[in-house]
Amino acid sequence: AATPLLVDVPASADAGARLAAIAGTVRTLRASATEPPPIALVAPLFRAVAALGLYRWYMARQRRMHTLTSNVHGPDRPLAVAGIPVESIIPISAGEAGNITVGFVVMSYAGTLTITIVADRDQTPDLPALASALQDELDALIRSSTGPSGRGEDDRLMRITTGPVPPRPARRRPA
């Protein structure tokens, strides 16, 4: 199991400087994470809570997190299934998010980084603006690390996946 890292993300300075600051913080936190991950210590408790049907109740009321990011390092080279090349992989997130407003699922595959944003439509009405701002930041990171690449918009090294979200049935909010 991986140890979750709580990282403050700077919002000022240029994209390259912010990335360097975040990378340094993550390296330091990973190096100091020598104990078993907290989830390993409380996993039996969470299994019991889930078995009793209380996990959803807890997740709907937790106040520790509002945004969750998961990063999966995928294969460096293209794969094939039954001899057919896999052109791209879109990461998805499934599970009970409770009151976590936004989730970012990040996956690298064969030299391309894909980020999927999963958001609560009621709490994130500005999702298109969020996706656009994230794409702008990724483009700025590419420019700061390599200079203008000359790549077209359809041939990005990094891309954000978005799509229509089906209407959700009305639900009762927890008290």
Side-chain angles (χ1 to χ4, degrees):
T3 299
L5 302 177
L6 300 176
V7 179
D8 290 328
V9 178
S12 59
D14 70 88
R18 285 182 306 191
L19 180 60
I22 294 167
T25 300
V26 168
R27 270 192 301 277
T28 301
L29 289 172
R30 279 188 182 155
S32 66
T34 58
E35 300 296 319
I39 194 66
L41 302 174
V42 296
L45 175 63
F46 273 95
R47 280 192 289 277
V49 167
L52 294 171
L54 298 174
Y55 181 74
R56 283 188 176 174
W57 180 87
Y58 165 76
M59 286 303 293
R61 289 161 179 78
Q62 68 84 28
R63 299 291 181 255
R64 182 155 172 81
M65 299 181 291
H66 56 78
T67 303
L68 185 63
T69 302
S70 296
N71 180 24
V72 178
H73 180 76
D76 294 331
R77 293 186 210 111
L79 302 175
V81 176
I84 301 170
V86 176
E87 295 178 10
S88 64
I89 297 176
I90 298 175
I92 59 172
S93 174
E96 178 60 46
N99 64 359
I100 296 176
T101 307
V102 179
F104 298 91
V105 189
V106 183
M107 182 173 187
S108 61
Y109 171 69
T112 299
L113 184 73
T114 302
I115 302 171
T116 301
I117 303 171
V118 180
D120 179 334
R121 78 168 78 236
D122 296 334
Q123 302 299 319
T124 316
D126 54 351
L127 181 57
L130 175 63
S132 178
L134 180 55
Q135 185 66 65
D136 290 347
E137 287 297 312
L138 294 172
D139 292 343
L141 284 171
I142 291 171
R143 284 192 304 277
S144 73
S145 65
T146 63
S149 65
R151 291 177 154 306
E153 194 162 307
D154 293 335
D155 192 26
R156 289 187 167 145
L157 290 171
M158 300 184 195
R159 66 173 170 261
I160 307 300
T161 59
T162 58
V165 178
R168 183 174 62 194
R171 64 179 177 168
R172 287 182 22 179
R173 291 280 182 188

